[in-house]
Amino acid sequence: MHACGHDGHTAMLLGAAAVLKRREAEIKGTIRLIWQPAEEGGAGGKRMVEEGVLSMEPKPQAAFGFHQWPFLPLGSIGGRPGPMLAATELFDIVVSGVGGHAAMPHHVKDPIVAAAHVVTALQAIAARETDPLSSAVVSVTMFHAGDAYNVIPQGARIGGTLRSLSTEGLQSLRDRVDAVVHATALAHRCNASIAWSADAYPPTMNDPELWKWATEIAAPASTENEVRVIDPTMGGEDFAFYAQEIPSVFLALGQGAKSFAPEPGLEFDTTVTVHNGRFVLHEDLLRRGVALHAHLALSYLDRAASP
C-alpha cells in the first residue's frame, strides 16, 4: 500500500479541468494539465519531460504542483523558496561470501556478519561525515539473508535510500556509500556489489521570483490568509524534473485534522503521516485543491497578458 494521497492529487486536477473548461472563454493563453505515471520510484515526471510535455508548442512558461500535507492544519498552505524536497537515490547492495553449516562458521565467509557491519558503517556517513548544519539521509530499509536456521547463506541483500537537498550532496553520499560498502565487505573477507536506481531524483526547487508571486495569489485561499514558510523535507518528488526545466512552484496543502468523519460511524485522524497504514486523505482538501489549481493557472495567464 502506498498511502500518499496521489489519488486525491489526481482528482483535484481533474476537478480543476472541469472548472477551467466551464471558464474556457476567460482563459488568456494555454493551460496544460499533466497527469503522469510512476510518481515515486519510476521517475514519471522525467518520462513526461522526455516525451515532450514541456517542449511541445506552445511551450509552458511556468509549472505549479501540490501535495497533501498531514503535518499542516486543514486549510493551511505551506512551502518555501529554493529547495522544497530532497534529491533522492535508491540502492540495492549484495554482499557475497561463502556459505556453509551454521555449526562451523570458521569454514565460511559469513555475508550476514559482513552485511550487518555494512549497515552500521553506513550510519556514520550522515552522523560523522556530514556537516551538522547540512542535511543528509542514509536509510537502510531492507535486509534479506538466508532461509534456514542451521545454514549460513552465500549472500545477503541490503536496500535503502539516500537523500540530500542538493544534487552535489547526493553525489557525495553516493560516492561515500560505494567506498564504505566495498571496504567493509572486504574487511570481512566478502565481496559487495551495488546497483543504483535508473533515475536519481533532483531536489524539488521553488523558483524564488515565481514563489513570491504565487504565495501572494495563494494566500487568500488559506484559512490562515498566508502561505506558511516551512522547513524543507527529505522526501522526494518527481515534480522536480519539471522544475529543472522551467520556473516552478510546489505547494503543501494542509490536511491535518484530528477528527474527519466522512459518514456516520467513521472517524479518522488525518494528521497521520504518509506511507502509513492509517493514512486517510481529508476529502475537504479536494475542493480546496481544485480551486487553487484553477486560480493559480488563470491568475498567471492574466499576469502574462497584462502590458
Side-chain angles (χ1 to χ4, degrees), residues 134-196:
S134 299
S135 298
V137 171
V138 180
S139 287
V140 174
T141 57
M142 297 184 289
F143 193 124
H144 304 288
D147 54 12
Y149 292 105
N150 62 345
V151 177
I152 294 173
Q154 293 282 111
R157 180 187 169 201
I158 306 166
T161 183
L162 310 180
R163 309 288 169 118
S164 174
L165 290 177
S166 71
T167 301
E168 296 77 16
L170 187 68
Q171 184 60 52
S172 177
L173 290 177
R174 179 169 165 162
D175 291 343
R176 287 301 296 144
V177 167
D178 188 89
V180 167
V181 167
H182 287 98
T184 305
L186 185 61
H188 292 82
R189 303 179 301 145
C190 293
N191 297 313
S193 62
I194 306 177
W196 301 98

Side-chain angles (χ1 to χ4, degrees), residues 121-273:
L122 289 176
Q123 306 313 304
I125 296 174
R128 286 295 176 265
E129 298 184 19
T130 304
D131 184 339
L133 299 180
S134 299
S135 298
V137 171
V138 180
S139 287
V140 174
T141 57
M142 297 184 289
F143 193 124
H144 304 288
D147 54 12
Y149 292 105
N150 62 345
V151 177
I152 294 173
Q154 293 282 111
R157 180 187 169 201
I158 306 166
T161 183
L162 310 180
R163 309 288 169 118
S164 174
L165 290 177
S166 71
T167 301
E168 296 77 16
L170 187 68
Q171 184 60 52
S172 177
L173 290 177
R174 179 169 165 162
D175 291 343
R176 287 301 296 144
V177 167
D178 188 89
V180 167
V181 167
H182 287 98
T184 305
L186 185 61
H188 292 82
R189 303 179 301 145
C190 293
N191 297 313
S193 62
I194 306 177
W196 301 98
S197 55
D199 301 293
Y201 284 30
T204 302
M205 304 292 291
N206 281 337
D207 179 81
E209 290 188 16
L210 189 61
W211 160 262
K212 183 178 179 181
W213 174 85
T215 55
E216 293 173 356
I217 298 300
S222 168
T223 54
E224 300 173 335
N225 205 37
E226 66 175 358
V227 176
R228 291 193 191 188
V229 176
I230 61 176
D231 292 333
T233 174
M234 301 308 282
E237 169 59 55
D238 71 347
F239 184 83
F241 290 105
Y242 308 127
Q244 270 191 322
E245 303 295 326
I246 59 175
S248 300
V249 167
F250 194 74
L251 294 172
L253 303 187
Q255 77 139 22
K258 285 295 184 181
S259 177
F260 164 53
E263 58 183 78
L266 283 180
E267 187 170 345
F268 301 99
D269 179 355
T270 60
T271 66
V272 173
T273 185

Side-chain angles (χ1 to χ4, degrees), residues 98-105 108-112 148 150-154:
V98 176
H101 201 296
M104 306 172 189
V108 308
K109 297 177 181 178
D110 193 335
I112 293 181
N150 62 345
V151 177
I152 294 173
Q154 293 282 111

